Amino acid sequence: MLIKQGKKGLDKKFERIPLEDQPGPKSQEEMDEMKMPYEEYCRKVFDVGNEFIKPTALKGIRWLSTTMYIFTPHSVTNLAELGAEVIKVEMPRMGDPMRHCAPFNETYVYPLHDTRPMTGTGVACFNANVNEYYISMDYHREEIKEAFYTLVKMSDGLTQCYRPGTFDRWKQSYRYLQEINPRFISVWGGGFGYGPKIWGGSYDILGQAHAGLASITGFHEDFGGHPTKSTNWNIDWYSGTQITVAILAALLWRRKTGLGTKIEFSQVQAATRCLEYAAPLYGRFGIVRQRWGNWDTQLCVHGIIICGKSDYPDEKNPQLRDEARYVMVSAFNDPDFKELCNVIKRPDLYTKYQKHKDRVEAEAQVEIYHELEKWAADKSRSEVTKILKDAGLLAMPVYNDKEVYESPHFRERGTIRWQADPWYGDAVVHSTYSCGLMSKTPRRKFWDLRAVGADNVKIYHELLGIPLSTIKEWYEKTII
């Protein structure tokens, strides 16, 4: 055991340093871990598949989610996956409008509600309300007000997405709720927030369009392009994550001060953060940023090319047969670009564009990518990827959902896995476990969805103590 000299100088008194305060491993297990190869160490500490035996970071936090669609629900799901108890509040019988959305109106899971056995919940609703308890509540009815305020007293915060001023009119906004619970954190997420466009709606496509993101997505007009909406609702998921960051900061602030706070979040405003250098470019030089498609305005070569042959030429599914032809290629530093030019048998391109500052210019990129796709015209995606990798260059196929699902890398890390959902049976999970690994307090998914009002008895009766007879009466009157 280490010792250190005391403060009395000539007396030379010493005191023992406890083992736990000494540097280095504290046990044989930690000693063994220090000797492990790094990758083996990561496998051990993250222990993918055994997340449920570890503690959760947000245990003890209770949050109310009066949200709809993807944007604001996702912000609360992040809390639930980290261990918070989240109560999702929906309108009686109907539930969250997102329940009625499905790709091309084709894919549903059942049931939606016990009074509507033939109506299902669209799979588009999956991943956005994970691990939450579901209750129903009609805010307009006076009979339910006391139950709502009691939940506020017992909770740490609430997230809502109604039009600005709606909750204030119902006396459910921050300035009313802080009187009930001074530690309460109130979050509003919507389209524009206060200002000239306060009444504007909130949709992912609105965020992409009005914030300028769609204007720089897609190919330039010179190549037959036009502003392009991302097929996925990227701004919904992105904005939801930003709200979660604000909530965690508010929880830390409350720990320091004992006080809650109000968070107001504009989805359109959030989308402007994705524009990178667009605003500074215009502010300093007066240049409006242009679309540049699958290439890059700052690096070359650093883009996606199309190959002439499919990896699945006999596949009946056109998404597999026709789309499995794209490869990401990166060779922007000088030695890599030289090697790329040798591979495609165009060393003259390197002679012409030896310096990156020359080949990153627009006219140079048009010529370089044209020659790359010309070289790949008689090859499949897998052939192009292998040739470039064998030459020491970075190249990866553009995966579709099927290939992501089958990826050994994602499977080993637990990003994609099957899980038995207690309501809807076996389901493929990719949301919870794709958000980074945490060795001590990992995310986890207990369930994805539950039917509308599935936990009315649990919350109203077991938590709030409301008699079952009252709950039955509310149910019959469609108050819940």
Side-chain angles (χ1 to χ4, degrees):
M1 179 176 288
L2 293 177
I3 56 176
K4 64 180 180 180
Q5 188 172 353
K7 297 180 179 179
K8 294 190 176 181
L10 296 176
D11 291 343
K12 294 185 178 179
K13 290 187 176 181
F14 296 90
E15 60 179 310
R16 294 180 180 274
I17 301 176
L19 180 64
E20 59 271 17
D21 293 338
Q22 296 179 26
K26 307 297 188 296
S27 65
Q28 184 61 46
E29 182 181 13
E30 291 186 11
M31 179 70 77
D32 293 339
E33 287 181 354
M34 294 297 291
K35 297 177 181 179
M36 287 180 182
Y38 179 72
E39 190 170 354
E40 183 181 342
Y41 168 75
C42 288
R43 288 191 179 94
K44 183 178 187 300
V45 297
F46 293 125
D47 198 16
V48 169
N50 289 316
E51 293 86 0
F52 292 87
I53 67 174
K54 297 183 178 182
T56 56
L58 297 183
K59 183 178 181 179
I61 297 296
R62 177 180 290 134
W63 205 268
L64 305 178
S65 177
T66 59
T67 61
M68 295 176 282
Y69 293 106
I70 300 295
F71 160 36
T72 44
H74 174 58
S75 70
V76 184
T77 279
N78 284 320
L79 305 179
E81 290 177 342
L82 291 168
E85 178 189 277
V86 173
I87 300 172
K88 169 86 171 184
V89 186
E90 300 180 278
M91 289 299 293
R93 307 296 194 266
M94 294 297 294
D96 185 333
M98 195 66 197
R99 287 181 179 270
H100 306 280
C101 299
F104 303 108
N105 198 35
E106 293 177 346
T107 48
Y108 289 85
V109 293
Y110 296 84
L112 171 72
H113 186 266
D114 56 3
T115 64
R116 307 178 69 187
M118 302 306 291
T119 302
T121 292
V123 295
C125 197
F126 273 54
N127 299 324
N129 298 277
V130 172
N131 295 348
E132 299 176 8
Y133 295 105
Y134 288 79
I135 68 172
S136 47
M137 176 186 295
D138 186 346
Y139 305 114
H140 303 83
R141 311 288 283 274
E142 286 299 322
E143 298 97 314
I144 204 71
K145 289 288 187 182
E146 183 178 350
F148 174 81
Y149 291 137
T150 303
L151 279 173
V152 169
K153 293 176 184 177
M154 301 172 68
S155 301
D156 295 280
L158 171 149
T159 301
Q160 59 104 348
C161 63
Y162 287 75
R163 283 186 177 272
T166 301
F167 262 39
D168 197 67
R169 190 169 63 251
W170 293 345
K171 294 182 170 53
Q172 295 176 186
S173 65
Y174 174 67
R175 55 182 175 178
Y176 291 100
L177 302 185
Q178 68 173 337
E179 297 296 326
I180 299 173
N181 181 355
R183 294 170 53 83
F184 200 71
I185 299 167
S186 179
V187 182
W188 177 85
F192 291 86
Y194 75 85
K197 296 190 176 182
I198 186 172
W199 302 115
S202 177
Y203 297 98
D204 174 90
I205 191 173
L206 176 67
Q208 294 192 42
H210 196 82
L213 187 60
S215 73
I216 60 171
T217 305
F219 282 100
H220 194 277
E221 278 87 348
D222 290 353
F223 312 127
H226 49 76
T228 303
K229 170 195 173 295
S230 173
T231 300
N232 194 36
W233 293 2
N234 289 339
I235 298 303
D236 274 354
W237 297 101
Y238 167 80
S239 300
T241 300
Q242 284 196 317
I243 289 182
T244 306
V245 173
I247 290 173
L248 295 176
L251 288 169
L252 182 59
W253 165 256
R254 190 184 68 180
R255 183 178 178 183
K256 294 178 179 179
T257 66
L259 299 174
T261 190
K262 174 179 173 57
I263 298 171
E264 194 250 38
F265 193 91
S266 162
Q267 186 177 35
V268 171
Q269 178 179 321
T272 63
R273 187 163 184 169
C274 300
L275 301 183
E276 296 179 327
Y277 58 82
L281 180 71
Y282 178 75
R284 176 59 67 90
F285 301 104
I287 297 174
V288 176
R289 185 178 177 183
Q290 62 182 352
R291 296 183 298 282
W292 205 231
N294 286 333
W295 307 342
D296 195 282
T297 59
Q298 300 165 87
L299 300 172
C300 181
V301 170
H302 196 67
I304 294 173
I305 64 171
I306 185 171
C307 305
K309 297 180 180 179
S310 170
D311 275 352
Y312 309 104
D314 300 321
E315 175 63 50
K316 292 182 179 180
N317 185 335
Q319 182 68 18
L320 288 173
R321 183 184 64 245
D322 301 332
E323 296 297 319
R325 297 185 296 149
Y326 294 89
V327 176
M328 183 282 296
V329 183
S330 181
F332 56 83
N333 63 48
D334 296 345
D336 284 350
F337 181 66
K338 182 178 181 179
E339 183 62 28
L340 178 64
C341 292
N342 289 334
V343 168
I344 68 173
K345 296 180 171 54
R346 287 297 309 273
D348 56 302
L349 282 177
Y350 177 72
T351 302
K352 187 175 182 180
Y353 302 115
Q354 289 189 34
K355 300 299 182 183
H356 182 264
K357 65 181 181 63
D358 297 325
R359 59 179 174 271
V360 80
E361 292 184 0
E363 294 81 1
Q365 289 201 40
V366 171
E367 180 180 1
I368 292 168
Y369 282 107
H370 173 76
E371 291 302 322
L372 277 172
E373 294 188 345
K374 184 178 177 181
W375 167 76
D378 62 347
K379 300 173 182 65
S380 68
R381 181 185 64 170
S382 57
E383 289 174 327
V384 168
T385 302
K386 184 178 186 306
I387 291 170
L388 296 179
K389 281 187 173 181
D390 288 346
L393 301 173
L394 176 59
M396 288 292 291
V398 176
Y399 275 176
N400 55 45
D401 292 346
K402 175 179 180 293
E403 291 164 323
V404 170
Y405 168 77
E406 295 174 345
S407 167
H409 181 79
F410 290 144
R411 287 301 181 93
E412 180 174 331
R413 291 176 58 83
T415 306
I416 302 290
R417 62 178 80 177
W418 279 93
Q419 183 166 316
D421 187 283
W423 275 78
Y424 297 111
D426 292 346
V428 178
V429 177
H430 74 88
S431 57
T432 305
Y433 304 105
S434 63
C435 301
L437 301 176
M438 302 170 69
S439 62
K440 301 297 184 183
T441 56
R443 288 179 182 245
R444 68 210 65 189
K445 176 182 281 192
F446 293 98
W447 60 80
D448 206 311
L449 285 169
R450 296 157 85 87
V452 176
D455 298 294
N456 279 343
V457 171
K458 178 179 179 64
I459 301 303
Y460 288 124
H461 178 63
E462 296 177 15
L463 180 63
L464 302 186
I466 297 171
L468 290 174
S469 57
T470 301
I471 296 173
K472 181 180 179 181
E473 179 184 346
W474 287 353
Y475 176 83
E476 292 171 349
K477 292 181 177 179
T478 67
I479 296 173
I480 62 173

